[in-house]
Every structure is written in C-alpha cells, then in structure tokens.
Amino acid sequence: MRDPTKDADPETRKQEVAEEVEEERWPSAVIIHEVIRHEGVEDLARTASALALSGLAAGLSMGFSLVGEGVLLAHLPEAKWSELVSGWGYTLGFLIAVMGRQQLFTENTLTPVLPLLHDRTLKVLVQVLRLWGIVLAANLVGTILFAAALAHTEVFDESVREHFRKLSHHVFAYPFWTTCLKAVLAGWLLALMVWLLPSSGDARPFVILILTYVIAVGNLAHVVAGSVDAAYLVFLGEATWGDYVGRFFLPTLLGNLFGGVALVAVLNWGQVAPDVE
C-alpha cells in the first residue's frame, strides 16, 4: 500500500509533524507560568465573600489531616514504621482542599504573586495583600472550629483522641527559628506543588499526595494544617492562645511565606521573565 504522506506537500507535512510534537511534549516553563498567572488574576478579582467562604471550606477540610493521621496511628502497632504509614493520613486534608479548588493560604504564596511580579504596581500589591488577609483569616477560623469540634465532642473514641493529642504536640516541639526553617521547607514544597500541577494531568492527586506526605514524615510546619493541632491543644487546656500565636503561628507564617514567595514564585518568575516580557 502506498504511504499517503509521500504525496503530501512537504510544507504541509512539516506543519503536521510540528503540531504532533507540540501535542506530545511537556508544557514549557512559560506555559506553566502563564496558566498559574491567569489563575492568580482570576483569584485577585474574586469578591471578598467568595474568597472567605472558599478559605473557610479549606480550613475545615484541613482538619481531616489530623483526623486521617490520628485514626491510622490508633490502628497501627507501636513501631518506628507506624509514622511512615500514618503520614499518608496527613495528606487527606490537602487532597480535599486542592482538588476541591478551595482557597488554601500556602497555595497563594505563588498563584497571586505571579500577577504582582508581572505588573509591579501598588494596585496589584494591595489586591494580593487583600487576598492573603481574607484567605488566611478564613483558613484559621475553619481550623479553629474543626479543632473545637474534636476537643469538645466524642465523635472519635478516647484512644483515637489521645493520638490526636500526641500528634498535635509537634507544633510546639521546636524553638522559634527551628520552626521557621521547617516552615520554609513546607512552604517551598506547597508552592512547588502548585507549580507542578498544570503539567501533571491525571497524576495530579499523586503529586499532592507525595509532596504533602514529605511534609508529614519530615515533621515540617504548615500554618493551616498546624493550626488545627495548635488550637486542639488550646481547647484541651495544654497550651494557651499566646503559645498558639508566638510559638506556632508567627514562625510558621514567616517560614511558609518565605518558602513560597522567595524560593518558588520569584525564582520561577526569574527563569521565564525574559520570554514573558
């Protein structure tokens, strides 16, 4: 049988091959940047009520990280490898929030920052700070409500709640600057997750699971997931709101911001800036 491509016009065939290559290759850094930047522009334009409700939903969803990890640990034997298995439970809250397109503060250390780097004006800076303030506040309200429900109800057995308590103590286990450094790594990983998602296709859930699992087993500090733990101990009377703010919230927030903005947003903007401009 004759090959019909032999009779095709060379320029036409060349164009067809170029289109096939374009379809098969991974998105370039510029394409990933533009996808995330356009998402950031859309987020900056959302109403305050939409951002607040989405952020509240994300904060409530993140409560399932403590639940997932605690329930798994309660059903595992006391062994060194148990935490390696229970760490998968920690990923549950992130999977729900990210796949559900809920507003999670640490994702926003990248998404709305790219429009700001592209259009470095006071107007866009104010929009970014507005989004950060609304989403972070809503996230924290959601986590505190979830922690209060865990502490003041008997939805879970006493043995499971005891594991919630033990797991929660890690948020106060380190000095200020150690917590801050742990938060830098967590913020870095979460912003990298956002950068990887546009090119991940059907593997998106696995990208979320793997990167957040590293946060769990590395005992890193995340300002939203950790807020559930810290607030839970406050409601149990084992910590104060001063501990919540000074020993957990401030160092974790600073580290997450630096890890996401400086190590992902700015660096990845730098690699594509000449092409984008």
Side-chain angles (χ1 to χ4, degrees), residues 37-195:
R37 184 173 72 85
H38 280 286
E39 289 183 2
V41 170
E42 291 175 356
D43 286 344
L44 291 175
R46 296 182 72 180
T47 64
S49 60
L51 290 172
L53 289 173
S54 183
L56 178 64
L60 292 169
S61 296
M62 290 305 299
F64 288 104
S65 286
L66 178 59
V67 169
E69 194 172 9
V71 169
L72 283 177
L73 201 57
H75 290 83
L76 290 169
E78 292 189 9
K80 289 185 178 180
W81 54 265
S82 295
E83 292 184 2
L84 296 178
V85 177
S86 65
W88 290 111
Y90 179 84
T91 68
L92 181 59
F94 291 94
L95 189 65
I96 296 170
V98 177
M99 295 299 291
R101 305 294 290 174
Q102 299 167 353
Q103 288 285 342
L104 190 62
F105 175 74
T106 42
E107 288 187 272
N108 285 308
T109 57
L110 173 66
T111 309
V113 173
L114 293 186
L116 175 61
L117 293 171
H118 184 78
D119 184 11
R120 296 181 286 277
T121 63
L122 179 61
K123 177 183 176 181
V124 180
L125 174 61
V126 170
Q127 290 177 328
V128 172
L129 294 176
R130 165 185 170 271
L131 184 148
W132 278 359
I134 294 171
V135 170
L136 180 58
N139 283 171
L140 296 181
V141 169
T143 59
I144 291 170
L145 290 174
F146 198 102
L150 289 181
H152 298 310
T153 66
E154 297 182 356
V155 174
F156 296 97
D157 295 339
E158 178 62 32
S159 61
V160 177
R161 298 202 304 273
E162 178 61 18
H163 281 88
F164 292 162
R165 188 187 68 81
K166 291 179 179 178
L167 285 168
S168 296
H169 275 284
H170 79 93
V171 297
F172 298 131
Y174 304 97
F176 186 98
W177 290 111
T178 303
T179 299
C180 191
L181 290 173
K182 283 178 170 289
V184 169
L185 295 179
W188 191 355
L189 285 171
L190 261 295
L192 281 176
M193 178 193 73
V194 177
W195 183 266

Side-chain angles (χ1 to χ4, degrees), residues 131-273:
L131 184 148
W132 278 359
I134 294 171
V135 170
L136 180 58
N139 283 171
L140 296 181
V141 169
T143 59
I144 291 170
L145 290 174
F146 198 102
L150 289 181
H152 298 310
T153 66
E154 297 182 356
V155 174
F156 296 97
D157 295 339
E158 178 62 32
S159 61
V160 177
R161 298 202 304 273
E162 178 61 18
H163 281 88
F164 292 162
R165 188 187 68 81
K166 291 179 179 178
L167 285 168
S168 296
H169 275 284
H170 79 93
V171 297
F172 298 131
Y174 304 97
F176 186 98
W177 290 111
T178 303
T179 299
C180 191
L181 290 173
K182 283 178 170 289
V184 169
L185 295 179
W188 191 355
L189 285 171
L190 261 295
L192 281 176
M193 178 193 73
V194 177
W195 183 266
L196 293 173
L197 288 179
S199 61
S200 300
D202 294 337
R204 287 178 182 176
F206 299 103
V207 172
I208 298 167
L209 291 171
I210 291 169
L211 293 186
T212 56
Y213 175 74
V214 173
I215 295 175
V217 297
N219 222 6
L220 304 181
H222 186 265
V223 71
V224 184
S227 177
V228 182
D229 303 346
Y232 184 68
L233 292 179
V234 171
F235 288 121
L236 291 182
E238 298 186 20
T240 66
W241 287 112
D243 294 326
Y244 177 98
V245 174
R247 296 173 58 192
F248 158 71
F249 178 72
L250 289 179
T252 307
L253 177 64
L254 289 173
N256 284 171
L257 276 172
F258 183 83
V261 174
L263 298 179
V264 179
V266 173
L267 289 180
N268 282 301
W269 158 256
Q271 70 166 319
V272 303

Side-chain angles (χ1 to χ4, degrees), residues 9 12 20 23 34 64 70 78 167 172 222 276:
D9 177 69
T12 301
E20 290 172 4
E23 289 175 0
E34 285 300 287
F64 288 104
E78 292 189 9
L167 285 168
F172 298 131
H222 186 265
V276 172

